[in-house]
């Protein structure tokens, strides 16, 4: 008399159907609630008064100035932080030196500081009543409430992105290829340009993408430093705030939807990179 | 063109990797550095190649002092244990690299570089692999590309760091014979690091047995087996009484 086992065969590492379905539903519900709904709301509110009102809101003089400023700030902050990130990752991954762990901690600093505090630090340093205020005044240099201040604050908060993408990647790749390049007669610069850089290009692109997304969307630090001068020192996020405070909801959401679209494009590009070069990227991700 | 290593020492933190090592490698000779892990043989090889700088001692190649010369000026072809091929370049680009990075004045014209690469591909029995990427090659093929790449710069000395360590036994044996044949043809001064005594004894003109940063004995394989100079040499070379 043979007896069949009462339970069906199940893979040891797979949960039961109920658990799997339950978790999947919970995950989707969470994302739907906290991501999809606000996103859909932004677009819905943007078009509430019709497409004509939408177009009017995004082509209005101050809105255009805000977009231009956002692009300018990003165009300065992102390349600066890319250069810095490359240099820092290079130093950390290929060399040993005293103060290395301090450097790594400092790189992560902007992540642990509230953006508002980041902006406040600049006001405390460069503002009229700030530490360096009188000295700057003498030299006729204005930082707070100008575009310079906006760039500085944005550079600070987007500091770590490129470095944090590159450091684990470069560490994992090691120094063997660089040593080979040297032994074959390459100069330091040629080695960096022909061997190191091509090996990290996808991590670099990914880091630049993240840096850019944050640079364009930054609100807290930039708000403190900006002065909110319409048409002059307002980036898009700040402009959205102004419109909203004037009860001009449809216009506020219209401009906000542009930022949302930027986020979606960034996400699409990121997904594409991961799909195309997933193995390279995934194997070295460590956050 | 002989290489002279004079009382070279190197520490890593508290660890003395190489202790006052002196060695002479004659022109055209195939010298094996044989020893267990941690004996300092790879460190010594890297010092010769310029990838590490010694704390004490002198390095001399045919009268020219090498001790503090940067790696890129030494013209020492280095073959790494794990090949260190440039993963984003094709096989042909890998081999051509040493010639491509030469400054404008010293770089051969493109046609000549391509011709040299082709010749090396044929020599290494990699005939149609020029356009492939390292990830598409087997271990043995990658090692031959690494060797071709080192030879492309017409080095005055060839340095091999456990070149067959990552390969399986059959491939290893085949490559061994092939390497010896290559050496006999090219007569290039060669230093090879290995912990595999069969390999050292089969390939080398002379063997330097190393232990804990020092050279215990240098001599032709027969001598090192037949008349071990120290207990370590005798024990390390085990029951190899049958000769080579």
């Amino acid at each position: 008399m043979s007896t069949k086992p009462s339970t069906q065969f199940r893979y040891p590492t797979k949960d039961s159907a109920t658990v799997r379905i339950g978790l999947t539903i919970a995950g989707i519900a969470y994302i739907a609630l906290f991501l999809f709904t606000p996103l859909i709301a932004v677009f819905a509110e943007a078009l509430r008064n019709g497409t004509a009102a939408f177009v009017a809101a995004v082509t209005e003089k101050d809105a255009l100035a805000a977009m231009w400023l956002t692009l300018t700030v990003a165009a300065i902050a992102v390349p600066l932080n890319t250069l810095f990130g490359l240099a820092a990752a290079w130093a950390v991954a290929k060399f040993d030196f005293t103060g290395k762990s301090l450097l790594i901690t400092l790189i992560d600093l902007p992540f642990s500081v509230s953006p508002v505090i980041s902006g406040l630090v600049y006001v405390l340093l460069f503002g009229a009543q700030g530490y360096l205020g009188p000295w700057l005044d003498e030299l006729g240099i204005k930082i707070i409430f100008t575009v310079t201040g906006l760039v500085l604050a944005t550079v600070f908060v987007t500091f770590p992105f490129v470095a944090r993408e590159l450091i684990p990647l470069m560490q994992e790749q090691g120094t063997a290829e660089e040593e080979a390049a040297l032994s074959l007669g390459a100069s330091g610069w040629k080695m960096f340009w022909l061997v190191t850089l091509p090996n990290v290009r996808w991590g670099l692109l990914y880091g630049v993408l993240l840096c850019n997304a944050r640079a364009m969307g930054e609100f807290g630090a930039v708000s403190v430093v900006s002065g909110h001068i319409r048409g002059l020192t307002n980036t898009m996020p700040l402009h959205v705030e102004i419109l909203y405070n004037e009860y001009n909801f449809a216009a506020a959401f219209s401009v906000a939807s542009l930022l949302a679209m930027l986020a979606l494009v960034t996400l699409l590009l990121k997904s594409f990179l991961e799909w195309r070069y997933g193995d390279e990227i995934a194997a070295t991700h460590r956050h | 063109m002989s290489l002279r290593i004079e009382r070279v020492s190197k520490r890593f933190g508290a660890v003395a990797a190489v202790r006052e090592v002196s060695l002479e490698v004659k022109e055209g000779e195939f010298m094996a550095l044989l020893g267990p892990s941690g004996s300092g043989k790879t460190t010594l090889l890297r010092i010769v190649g310029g990838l590490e700088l010694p704390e004490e001692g002198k390095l001399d190649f045919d009268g020219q002092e090498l001790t503090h010369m940067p790696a890129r000026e030494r013209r020492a072809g280095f073959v790494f244990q794990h090949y260190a091929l440039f993963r984003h370049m094709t096989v042909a680009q890998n081999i051509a690299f040493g010639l491509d990075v030469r400054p404008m004045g010293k770089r051969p014209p493109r046609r000549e570089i391509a011709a040299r690469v082709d010749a090396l591909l044929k020599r290494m029995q990699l005939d149609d692999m020029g356009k492939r990427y390292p990830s598409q090659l087997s271990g043995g093929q990658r090692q031959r590309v690494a060797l071709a790449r080192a030879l492309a710069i017409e080095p005055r000395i060839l340095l091999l760091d456990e070149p067959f360590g990552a390969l399986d036994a059959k491939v290893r044996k085949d490559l061994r014979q092939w390497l010896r044949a290559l050496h006999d043809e090219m007569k290039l001064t060669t230093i090879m690091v290995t912990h595999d005594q069969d390999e050292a004894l089969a390939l080398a003109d002379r063997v330097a047995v190393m232990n804990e940063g020092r050279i215990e004995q240098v001599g032709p394989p027969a001598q090192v087996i037949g008349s071990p100079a120290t207990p370590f040499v005798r024990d390390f070379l085990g029951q190899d009484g049958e000769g080579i």
Side-chain angles (χ1 to χ4, degrees):
Chain A
M1 255 199 344
S2 63
T3 46
K4 280 224 159 85
S6 51
T7 47
Q8 289 171 286
F9 173 75
R10 209 166 74 199
Y11 288 99
T13 50
K14 229 174 171 181
D15 292 309
S16 70
T18 17
V19 175
R20 271 184 287 137
I21 296 175
L23 280 179
T24 311
I25 291 183
I28 294 180
Y30 186 87
I31 294 176
L33 182 63
F34 289 105
L35 286 181
F36 283 167
T37 319
L39 208 54
I40 293 173
V42 168
F43 286 107
E45 290 294 319
L47 294 169
R48 174 180 283 262
N49 292 347
T51 30
F54 176 84
V55 173
V58 301
T59 51
E60 189 258 323
K61 184 170 56 92
D62 289 333
L64 287 174
M67 284 181 233
W68 182 244
L69 191 57
T70 296
L71 288 172
T72 308
V73 168
I76 301 175
V78 172
L80 275 178
N81 280 332
T82 304
L83 277 173
F84 166 76
L86 265 171
W90 172 250
V92 166
K94 314 283 182 185
F95 298 94
D96 271 318
F97 52 93
T98 23
K100 184 153 107 160
S101 23
L102 182 63
L103 179 64
I104 296 176
T105 312
L106 283 178
I107 290 174
D108 276 348
L109 193 65
F111 273 173
S112 43
V113 174
S114 155
V116 172
I117 304 299
S118 314
L120 194 59
V121 165
Y122 280 100
V123 175
L124 289 174
L125 265 181
F126 301 125
Q129 283 82 36
Y131 195 63
L132 295 171
W135 180 70
L136 288 170
D137 208 28
E138 241 174 87
L139 292 170
I141 300 178
K142 287 193 186 357
I143 293 185
I144 305 300
F145 307 147
T146 69
V147 179
T148 317
L150 293 179
V151 172
L152 281 176
T154 307
V155 164
F156 181 83
V157 295
T158 55
F159 214 50
F161 284 101
V162 176
R164 276 168 62 101
E165 282 306 315
L166 290 180
I167 288 176
L169 184 58
M170 281 181 149
Q171 279 177 325
E172 191 256 358
Q173 289 176 347
T175 51
E177 286 189 35
E178 278 80 7
E179 286 185 342
L182 284 180
S183 72
L184 291 165
S187 67
W189 174 248
K190 284 222 169 98
M191 171 186 71
F192 182 79
W193 191 251
L194 296 174
V195 176
T196 315
L197 211 50
N199 274 343
V200 297
R201 61 199 151 168
W202 299 111
L204 183 62
L205 202 50
Y206 187 41
V208 166
L209 224 53
L210 292 179
C211 185
N212 181 61
R214 181 62 192 273
M216 290 191 173
E218 174 55 29
F219 179 77
V222 169
S223 176
V224 174
V225 163
S226 146
H228 302 263
I229 305 172
R230 227 188 272 243
L232 274 179
T233 59
N234 267 335
T235 56
M236 277 168 77
L238 298 179
H239 190 63
V240 170
E241 186 198 22
I242 287 191
L243 288 172
Y244 191 84
N245 286 340
E246 290 177 345
Y247 301 97
N248 199 346
F249 299 133
F253 278 106
S254 300
V255 180
S257 69
L258 291 180
L259 284 172
M261 281 191 264
L262 168 70
L264 289 173
V265 168
T266 302
L267 213 62
L268 265 166
L269 274 170
K270 172 183 175 295
S271 299
F272 172 73
L273 279 182
E274 278 177 346
W275 169 74
R276 185 83 169 78
Y277 298 96
D279 304 315
E280 254 184 72
I281 300 174
T284 56
H285 250 199
R286 251 195 291 129
H287 277 289
Chain B
M1 274 189 270
S2 61
L3 171 75
R4 263 215 182 82
I5 303 169
E6 282 175 45
R7 298 173 66 88
V8 158
S9 295
K10 174 84 186 167
R11 314 179 68 86
F12 291 110
V15 180
V18 175
R19 295 175 218 246
E20 297 204 354
V21 165
S22 297
L23 184 65
E24 184 182 342
V25 183
K26 306 195 191 88
E27 179 177 357
E29 183 175 33
F30 195 123
M31 165 79 75
L33 297 179
L34 176 66
S37 318
S39 52
K41 50 194 198 300
T42 298
T43 308
L44 186 60
L45 193 77
R46 286 168 64 86
I47 290 175
V48 174
L51 299 173
E52 308 276 2
L53 289 176
E55 271 125 22
E56 293 161 13
K58 254 185 12 134
L59 275 175
D60 208 272
F61 194 76
D62 206 29
Q64 187 189 27
E65 171 139 7
L66 279 189
T67 326
H68 295 288
M69 192 189 281
R72 64 174 165 275
E73 292 172 29
R74 292 195 188 199
R75 272 186 55 220
F78 206 105
V79 178
F80 296 81
Q81 183 175 3
H82 297 288
Y83 329 125
L85 296 179
F86 304 129
R87 69 193 87 183
H88 64 284
M89 295 188 200
T90 62
V91 163
Q93 288 167 333
N94 261 278
I95 298 175
F97 185 83
L99 298 170
D100 285 335
V101 295
R102 285 204 188 148
M104 285 297 276
K106 296 210 190 121
R107 196 185 315 161
R110 224 168 349 130
R111 277 231 187 92
E112 193 186 318
I113 295 183
R116 281 209 224 179
V117 169
D118 273 333
L120 277 166
L121 282 171
K122 281 208 169 60
R123 190 88 194 61
M124 303 286 140
Q125 293 165 318
L126 292 166
D127 285 65
D128 293 313
M129 307 272 177
K131 292 217 159 64
R132 297 224 194 144
Y133 284 88
S135 54
Q136 298 167 310
L137 302 178
S138 71
Q141 289 168 330
R142 288 184 209 177
Q143 197 51 285
R144 280 178 279 150
V145 174
L147 194 49
R149 185 176 68 173
L151 291 173
I153 59 170
E154 295 180 320
R156 41 192 187 166
I157 186 171
L158 189 61
L159 305 172
L160 308 165
D161 185 4
E162 310 223 28
F164 309 134
L167 303 169
D168 63 53
K170 167 99 180 39
V171 178
R172 214 183 282 183
K173 273 226 167 71
D174 292 338
L175 281 179
R176 219 188 269 174
Q177 294 171 336
W178 174 85
L179 180 62
R180 182 72 220 190
L182 192 69
H183 177 251
D184 290 336
E185 181 193 315
M186 297 183 64
K187 307 251 183 295
L188 184 59
T189 314
T190 304
I191 306 180
M192 181 179 79
V193 159
T194 181
H195 60 263
D196 181 342
Q197 40 172 309
D198 293 329
E199 200 162 273
L201 302 172
L203 282 171
D205 295 321
R206 280 198 299 158
V207 176
V209 183
M210 288 188 74
N211 180 37
E212 293 192 350
R214 290 202 176 85
I215 293 185
E216 303 249 340
Q217 185 177 4
V218 186
Q223 184 185 82
V224 167
I225 303 176
S227 348
T230 71
F232 172 80
V233 176
R234 189 185 54 230
D235 292 335
F236 185 72
L237 292 177
Q239 259 88 24
D240 224 329
E242 292 164 280
I244 320 128

